Amino acid sequence: MTKFIVFTDLHMVPEGQSIIGLDPFQRLAAGIDHVNRYHADADRVIVMGDLAHRADRPSYERLKGLLEQLVPPLAITIGNHDNRETFLDVFPNVTPDENGFIQEVIDFPDCRTVLLDTLFAPPYDYPRSHAGFLCTRRLAWLDHQLESAGDLPVLLFMHHPPHATGFSGMDLIRLINEVDFYDVVKRRGNVLHIFAGHVHRTISGSSRGIPFSVFKSPVHQQPMPFDAPDASLSVDEPAGYGIAVLTDTGILVHTEDYEIAVREATVA
Ligand SMILES: [Fe+2]
């Protein structure tokens, strides 16, 4: 049994700043405290990008200070709000792959975990590059990790969902080469589950027969309805993180709205 805690879309800002009136630092600090209290036994905390709202160094430094408080070990990749070079400058302990991408493979007794870097940059010409992209080199790296997984089922962790999720604005900036991605994944046939963020909403389902989970942010969330024209519209709904547990027969995926969670249960 391997247990993962998943955070995505942290959107850290410099001290004194907020996002729609919410404090990303306070929100994440509460989440880390919650994980340390109830899931200190997790095998990995995985953070799936949009680490800093404007990719500035002070925000990455604040984030680093918070993440160092986590009890379980940590693995990180980046999203469309991030800057690869600035991130690596502040997080020198993160080793990029041989091509400089923030990608990592971690093996556990019952699964192989692959973190993918879907940042479509440089150049950092937002907003165009808010979409995700896996270039030829990243896809080749993924193909190799799938090929060499042996008997281990593979879990993929990536910022951008590789398929539409129903929010028309966000779907325009999903992974833009999803056909190439699924060609690799389907050919190898050993991906058990795909985890993503980016949409700031709890979503689950399947695409091409492979189940997926999209987790919400600890900060601002994606509002309904599905057809909101502006992908940056946000709403103050409870903060959350994901929990994934490998079992003898598959995988369990939970979401924890830790801000509103009540632990002192009473008899119903
Ligand atoms: Fe985000």
Side-chain angles (χ1 to χ4, degrees), residues 10 20 22 31 39 46 55 68 71 97 155 177 192 197 214-215 222 240 251 256:
L10 311 180
I20 63 163
L22 307 174
H39 301 292
I46 297 183
E68 284 172 352
V71 172
D97 74 4
L155 308 181
N177 60 330
L192 179 68
V214 174
F215 293 125
Q222 173 79 219
I251 187 165
E256 176 67 286

Side-chain angles (χ1 to χ4, degrees), residues 48-158:
M48 290 195 300
D50 278 6
L51 308 173
H53 193 51
R54 295 183 189 85
D56 57 290
R57 189 180 180 94
S59 295
Y60 283 121
E61 287 171 345
R62 287 186 97 199
L63 176 64
K64 186 181 183 190
L66 271 184
L67 292 177
E68 284 172 352
Q69 296 172 20
L70 276 167
V71 172
L74 175 68
I76 309 180
T77 189
I78 56 177
N80 49 292
H81 276 260
D82 293 306
N83 179 297
R84 210 173 272 116
E85 291 73 26
T86 310
F87 165 74
L88 284 173
D89 236 30
V90 178
F91 287 80
N93 292 341
V94 173
T95 306
D97 74 4
E98 60 269 30
N99 295 307
F101 297 108
I102 315 300
Q103 307 198 121
E104 185 178 358
V105 58
I106 311 163
D107 284 343
F108 297 92
D110 52 3
C111 66
R112 165 165 282 196
T113 300
V114 177
L115 280 73
L116 292 171
D117 175 346
T118 58
L119 174 59
F120 190 12
Y124 297 94
D125 54 350
Y126 303 132
R128 194 182 77 183
S129 60
H130 275 301
F133 183 59
L134 287 170
C135 59
T136 308
R137 289 183 294 172
R138 280 175 274 185
L139 284 175
W141 183 91
L142 168 63
D143 192 36
H144 174 67
Q145 305 311 332
L146 298 182
E147 181 193 17
S148 58
D151 293 333
L152 293 176
V154 179
L155 308 181
L156 298 184
F157 294 85
M158 54 201 293

Side-chain angles (χ1 to χ4, degrees), residues 188-224:
R188 295 299 177 192
N190 55 355
V191 172
L192 179 68
H193 205 95
I194 296 173
F195 296 91
H198 190 48
V199 188
H200 294 231
R201 191 93 192 176
T202 306
I203 309 167
S204 60
S206 67
S207 181
R208 281 83 159 180
I210 300 174
F212 71 83
S213 301
V214 174
F215 293 125
K216 65 197 303 197
S217 166
V219 197
H220 48 304
Q221 315 299 352
Q222 173 79 219
M224 282 292 180

